[in-house]
């Protein structure tokens, strides 16, 4: 049966070339990077090389890169670590209504622990206005966190403009670049960020490894204690194979980024054009400030989980922000923040494209979806044909 | 995560649609996640002779809707009123814990349709 994976925002397959670079560190080069003998030294060299690679791509210095066990951990460390280290300066944090749960929940954990939080609304396309950030800043604001691009609706934020005014104010600025690493250019000085997090498995690297950029001079209270790894910012024996994989995956992605982004954007627009022919379909997010691989729509009168099950029956893997798929039975907070009603958010579908996606995949999907939507609408008490 | 029975009813739902000459109509919404089921019943001599449904909801909601139309067909009103969500879930070889509430939707819609029928009867006589 046809199998088409269109959920690259959830995770991506590990590239075989990346796996090759990782393999020795699972077996013969198993050393602990803290050891003085040959095995340890070779592990240390691999670690240093990887750190250099990541730093270079981000326009940073090697000592500004901290490897973590996931993107979520990088985000938690950035927010909790910076907030705790700064608490004498103030306890006010600014963030947005569309952050990923890793950021959102970290900030709300801080709120429970005595910090004050301002959550900025977004416009109907999911964009943050830098001026709104400016007016939210207070003398006791220590930290601002805005995601680079949204994982559900693909909206890209004006990070550089926001960063400039946050830094001018003297607060720290974090961006969650988990969705953009490997897709958009990430230069920490152009973006005006002090903290930036990413996860390897979103750009064809392995799961279980992430990285955090920490601008020189920014102090972080560690989350994990127990050793001097990562300059005391993250204890634990380094996952050399994972870190090597992260670095080589990011390196490959950076080299191919421009061409691949253009290719993906063409496929994305082809998908949008086809989906828009289905009546009562709305596009979520911005058409202009949008990730090249993200397609997000809502089909009115139907529910996302039944849509996903039908797609799965035809070999298509996708995702939805419907309440019924969420586990909490609440629709996606992102779709609600864009101003969609619960009912409309129910019918959301996200297709995220990747390296293996071809034009014929897009056409296959466009051949199947209208029929599924029609069938579900025929079954829906809300739909009047 | 769904049983084969659930997927079977999801893929080929029984009795989808509307009954133009319905004797009772029940429409219920599910407060948990905002889904809606509408059920039409035909009653002959105190027995449910036919049913149709339309559902806006997840796979479990569609499968339980389909299943209840099969279970209720041929039952007396009193019997049909006693169909519980657990019974529907069992008939489908179980539902994931998070989806148990979806089977309420079907049981409630049937009760609402029967109540509607009874109301119409009493106002007609
Ligand atoms: S109808 Fe929403 S979870 Fe089943």
């Amino acid at each position: 049966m046809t199998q088409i994976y269109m959920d690259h925002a959830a995770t991506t397959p590990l590239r075989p070339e990346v796996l090759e670079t990782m393999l020795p560190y699972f077996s013969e080069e198993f050393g602990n990077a803290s050891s003085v003998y040959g095995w340890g030294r070779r592990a240390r060299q691999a670690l240093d090389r990887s750190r250099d690679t990541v730093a270079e791509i981000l326009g940073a210095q090697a000592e500004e890169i901290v490897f973590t066990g996931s993107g979520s951990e990088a985000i938690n460390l950035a927010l909790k670590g910076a907030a705790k280290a700064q608490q004498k300066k103030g306890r006010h944090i600014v963030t947005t209504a569309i952050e990923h749960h890793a950021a959102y929940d970290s900030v709300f954990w801080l709120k429970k622990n005595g910090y004050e939080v301002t959550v900025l609304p977004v416009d109907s396309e999911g964009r943050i206005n830098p001026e709104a950030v400016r007016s939210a800043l207070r003398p006791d604001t220590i930290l601002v966190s805005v995601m680079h691009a949204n994982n559900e609706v693909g909206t890209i934020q004006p990070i550089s403009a926001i960063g400039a005014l946050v830094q001018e104010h003297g607060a720290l600025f974090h961006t969650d670049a988990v969705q953009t690493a490997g897709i958009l250019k990430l230069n920490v000085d152009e973006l005006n960020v002090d903290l930036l997090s990413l996860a390897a498995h979103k750009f064809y690297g392995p799961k279980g490894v992430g990285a955090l950029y920490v601008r020189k001079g920014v102090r972080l209270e560690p989350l994990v204690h127990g050793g001097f790894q990562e300059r005391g910012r993250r204890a634990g024996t380094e996952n050399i194979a994972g870190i090597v994989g992260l670095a080589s995956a990011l390196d490959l992605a950076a080299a191919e980024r421009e061409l691949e982004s253009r290719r993906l954007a063409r496929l994305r627009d082809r998908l949008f054009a086809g989906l828009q022919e289905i009546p009562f379909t709305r596009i979520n997010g911005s058409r202009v400030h949008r990730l090249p691989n993200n397609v997000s729509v809502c089909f009115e009168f139907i529910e996302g989980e039944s849509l996903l099950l039908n797609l799965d029956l035809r070999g298509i893997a996708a995702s939805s922000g419907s309440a019924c798929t969420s586990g909490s039975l609440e629709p996606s907070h992102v779709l609600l923040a864009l101003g969609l009603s619960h009912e409309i958010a129910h019918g959301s579908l996200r297709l995220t494209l990747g390296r293996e996606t071809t034009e014929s995949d897009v056409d296959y999907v466009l051949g199947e979806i209208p029929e599924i939507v029609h069938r579900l609408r025929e079954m829906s008490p809300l739909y009047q044909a | 995560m769904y049983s084969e029975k659930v997927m079977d009813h999801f893929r080929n739902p029984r009795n989808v649609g509307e009954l133009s000459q319905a004797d009772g109509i029940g429409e219920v919404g599910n407060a948990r996640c905002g889904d809606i089921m509408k059920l039409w019943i035909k009653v002959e001599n105190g027995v449910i002779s036919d049913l149709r449904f339309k559902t806006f909801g997840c796979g479990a909601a569609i499968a339980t809707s389909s299943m209840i139309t099969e279970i209720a067909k041929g039952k007396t009103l009193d019997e049909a009123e006693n169909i519980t969500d657990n019974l529907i879930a069992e008939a489908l070889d179980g539902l994931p814990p998070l989806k148990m509430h979806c089977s309420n939707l079907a049981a409630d819609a049937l009760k609402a349709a029967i109540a509607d029928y009874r109301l119409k009867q009493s106002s007609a006589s």
Side-chain angles (χ1 to χ4, degrees):
Chain A
M1 189 178 77
T2 319
Q3 290 284 332
I4 294 177
Y5 183 77
M6 284 210 183
D7 203 14
H8 291 81
T11 194
T12 58
L14 184 70
R15 283 176 80 151
E17 317 87 293
V18 172
L19 178 63
E20 277 309 308
T21 65
M22 297 170 63
L23 283 176
Y25 299 96
F26 286 115
S27 45
E28 62 266 31
E29 294 301 348
F30 61 87
N32 185 323
S34 302
S35 307
V36 293
Y37 42 72
W39 280 284
R41 281 198 305 276
R42 289 191 297 276
R44 164 70 50 193
Q45 278 160 10
L47 181 60
D48 289 347
R49 261 200 319 273
S50 302
R51 205 183 301 280
D52 288 343
T53 303
V54 174
E56 198 189 315
I57 293 170
L58 298 183
Q61 319 258 299
E63 62 269 26
E64 294 175 311
I65 306 299
V66 178
F67 291 113
T68 65
S70 66
S72 292
E73 189 195 326
I75 294 169
N76 272 258
L77 175 59
L79 299 177
K80 296 177 186 170
K84 281 201 208 149
Q86 300 274 312
Q87 57 184 329
K88 292 219 172 68
K89 273 188 66 189
R91 288 181 158 247
H92 180 235
I93 301 168
V94 176
T95 189
T96 83
I98 57 162
E99 298 301 302
H100 185 275
H101 280 293
Y104 207 71
D105 294 356
S106 293
V107 167
F108 276 85
W109 182 86
L110 286 163
K111 187 175 177 185
K112 274 202 311 228
N113 286 275
Y115 290 77
E116 268 186 82
V117 176
T118 301
V119 179
L120 297 173
V122 293
D123 67 16
S124 60
E125 296 192 337
R127 285 266 285 186
I128 288 281
N129 183 344
E131 283 314 307
V133 178
R134 191 200 297 278
S135 32
L137 295 173
R138 313 191 316 209
D140 61 339
T141 306
I142 47 169
L143 179 62
V144 176
S145 186
V146 178
M147 75 197 311
H148 193 189
N150 184 264
N151 50 311
E152 292 184 42
V153 297
T155 304
I156 301 170
Q157 302 298 345
I159 291 302
S160 170
I162 296 171
L165 58 94
V166 172
Q167 288 183 333
E168 189 193 303
H169 186 82
L172 296 177
F173 185 44
H174 167 252
T175 193
D176 160 5
V178 167
Q179 290 296 328
T180 53
I183 294 183
L184 301 184
K185 184 178 181 201
L186 294 182
N187 179 291
V188 292
D189 289 333
E190 287 171 16
L191 290 172
N192 299 316
V193 294
D194 302 299
L195 298 152
L196 176 147
S197 21
L198 51 85
H201 75 103
K202 306 286 189 183
F203 47 85
Y204 309 92
K207 292 171 183 58
V209 58
L212 176 65
Y213 158 78
V214 186
R215 188 173 289 279
K216 213 181 205 137
V218 172
R219 284 196 311 117
L220 286 186
E221 196 61 50
L223 300 180
V224 183
H225 299 94
F228 283 106
Q229 292 91 349
E230 303 300 301
R231 301 181 154 241
R233 293 171 292 193
R234 204 267 187 184
T237 299
E238 299 88 345
N239 168 11
I240 303 296
I243 289 167
V244 165
L246 182 148
S248 62
L250 190 62
D251 201 24
L252 285 166
E256 299 166 2
R257 190 178 58 76
E258 282 182 42
L259 263 182
E260 177 65 0
S261 286
R262 272 201 291 277
R263 190 186 74 88
L264 289 172
R266 271 197 302 276
L267 295 177
R268 173 199 65 191
D269 294 340
R270 189 182 179 90
L271 254 177
F272 269 130
L275 293 176
Q276 271 182 298
E277 307 218 328
I278 302 174
F280 304 108
T281 300
R282 45 165 88 201
I283 290 179
N284 302 319
S286 164
R287 284 310 302 263
V288 186
H289 308 286
R290 185 174 203 106
L291 285 174
N293 67 335
N294 174 292
V295 168
S296 170
V297 293
C298 286
F299 301 113
E300 291 185 52
F301 318 119
I302 65 174
E303 189 282 318
E305 193 210 73
S306 36
L307 181 60
L308 295 187
L309 289 172
N310 273 303
L311 286 169
D312 183 43
L313 290 171
R314 296 167 198 223
I316 302 165
S319 80
S320 168
S322 159
C324 305
T325 58
S326 72
S328 66
L329 298 178
E330 276 295 317
S332 138
H333 68 288
V334 174
L335 297 176
L336 297 183
L338 264 56
L340 300 188
S341 67
H342 282 232
E343 225 164 82
I344 304 273
H346 243 3
S348 71
L349 174 70
R350 181 187 73 179
L351 299 162
T352 43
L353 317 178
R355 295 186 67 241
E356 341 76 64
T357 311
T358 63
E359 196 169 294
S360 71
D361 291 347
V362 167
D363 291 343
Y364 175 78
V365 169
L366 284 177
E368 300 296 326
I369 290 183
E371 204 184 301
I372 296 173
V373 169
H374 178 74
R375 216 173 82 90
L376 289 171
R377 281 184 177 162
E378 291 286 289
M379 226 185 270
S380 167
L382 300 176
Y383 181 63
Q384 240 57 295
Chain B
M1 70 169 189
Y2 286 133
S3 72
E4 264 173 51
K5 267 260 181 66
V6 171
M7 285 311 288
D8 173 40
H9 277 262
F10 173 74
R11 237 181 315 217
N12 306 300
R14 334 294 199 243
N15 305 306
V16 180
E18 309 186 0
L19 281 179
S20 49
Q21 303 284 312
D23 298 314
I25 303 176
E27 180 165 356
V28 294
N30 186 327
R32 271 315 281 285
C33 51
D35 300 289
I36 299 165
M37 177 181 181
K38 199 165 175 183
L39 186 69
W40 290 258
I41 58 171
K42 190 118 198 82
V43 181
E44 279 167 41
N45 306 322
V47 170
I48 298 183
S49 59
D50 206 0
L51 313 84
R52 292 285 184 284
F53 81 90
K54 282 194 168 180
T55 292
F56 168 63
C58 73
I62 290 172
T64 51
S65 304
S66 164
M67 183 48 104
I68 203 169
T69 62
E70 284 209 322
I71 299 178
K73 201 169 196 161
K75 293 248 179 345
T76 67
L77 293 176
D78 291 344
E79 287 166 349
E81 264 182 324
N82 286 324
I83 298 174
T84 60
D85 29 342
N86 277 328
L87 191 104
I88 308 167
E90 264 167 44
L92 287 166
D93 293 340
L95 286 173
L98 209 72
K99 297 286 180 178
M100 279 306 290
H101 73 278
C102 312
S103 57
N104 292 338
L105 198 64
D108 290 350
L110 181 58
K111 287 195 184 78
I114 294 172
D116 179 53
Y117 166 76
R118 291 204 160 119
L119 194 74
K120 281 181 183 147
Q121 288 304 102
S122 63
S123 54
S125 60

